[in-house]
Amino acid sequence: MIGYSFPTSICKALNGAARMFVIAACCSLGACASIGFGGTNMDIDETTTGSIGSDRGLLGGIDQSDWQILLAKISSFDKEALQTGSAKGDWDNPETGSKGHITQVKLLPALIDSECRSFKSSMHRVTGVENIQGEICRVPNGDWQITGFASGTTA
C-alpha cells in the first residue's frame, strides 16, 4: 500500500489512542511507585554517616548564633521606626565573625494576632558577602521565628 493515505478521522483516532495508552501507562507506574515494592516490612535506615553534615542549627548555611543576633536586632526596632523607615542598623557576631547591615525592616499586616516583619540585610561572613531577606513573626511565647528566607537578593 505505498502511497495510501488514511482518512483524517482514523489518524485522529490513532493519535488519541496513543495518548490514552501513554496516560494509562503513567498512571499504572505511578500507582506501583506509591504502594512500594518493599513488602510490608519497610523499616527506614536511620544510620548517620559522616558524608553530609546534619547541623540543624543552620538555615541557608547561616549559623544559628548569627540568626539569634540578627533576630534580636530586627525585633528591637520600635513601631515608630518601622513606620518612618528609619529601622536600619548594623549587627555583629564576634563568635563567628559574621556581621551585616540591616537596610530595611517593615511591619507586615498582622496574621492571626501575630506581629510579623520583613527585613533585608547584608551578611559579611568568612565565606563571603551576600544579601539576605526574610520574614520573622512573633510566636505566642513572645519569641521571634523565621517564617521566610532567601539569600542572594538585593539589599
Side-chain angles (χ1 to χ4, degrees):
M1 292 200 155
I2 299 175
Y4 183 79
S5 65
F6 290 102
T8 306
S9 61
I10 293 174
C11 289
K12 286 182 181 179
L14 289 175
N15 192 11
R19 286 186 185 149
M20 291 302 290
F21 175 77
V22 170
I23 291 171
C26 289
C27 290
S28 297
L29 292 175
C32 290
S34 67
I35 61 171
F37 293 108
T40 59
N41 187 10
M42 295 179 31
D43 294 332
I44 297 174
D45 181 8
E46 295 185 15
T47 305
T48 304
T49 64
S51 61
I52 299 174
S54 61
D55 186 355
R56 297 180 191 262
L58 298 177
L59 176 64
I62 299 170
D63 190 271
Q64 185 175 5
S65 63
D66 290 341
W67 277 118
Q68 290 171 344
I69 290 173
L70 185 57
L71 288 175
K73 184 68 174 183
I74 294 168
S75 64
S76 71
F77 296 116
D78 61 22
K79 290 188 179 184
E80 183 180 331
L82 295 171
Q83 292 169 346
T84 61
S86 62
K88 299 176 183 179
D90 295 325
W91 63 272
D92 180 25
N93 185 354
E95 183 181 315
T96 62
S98 297
K99 60 184 177 180
H101 181 73
I102 300 168
T103 57
Q104 182 182 67
V105 180
K106 292 182 178 179
L107 193 60
L108 297 175
L111 299 173
I112 310 172
D113 299 329
S114 179
E115 180 183 347
C116 295
R117 299 174 180 194
S118 66
F119 69 91
K120 290 185 177 186
S121 177
S122 63
M123 180 167 275
H124 304 259
R125 299 188 291 165
V126 177
T127 57
V129 178
E130 65 182 310
N131 293 318
I132 60 172
Q133 70 180 23
E135 293 178 2
I136 63 170
C137 291
R138 188 183 305 265
V139 294
N141 71 358
D143 291 340
W144 290 87
Q145 181 177 359
I146 300 164
T147 57
F149 169 75
S151 64
T153 62
T154 57

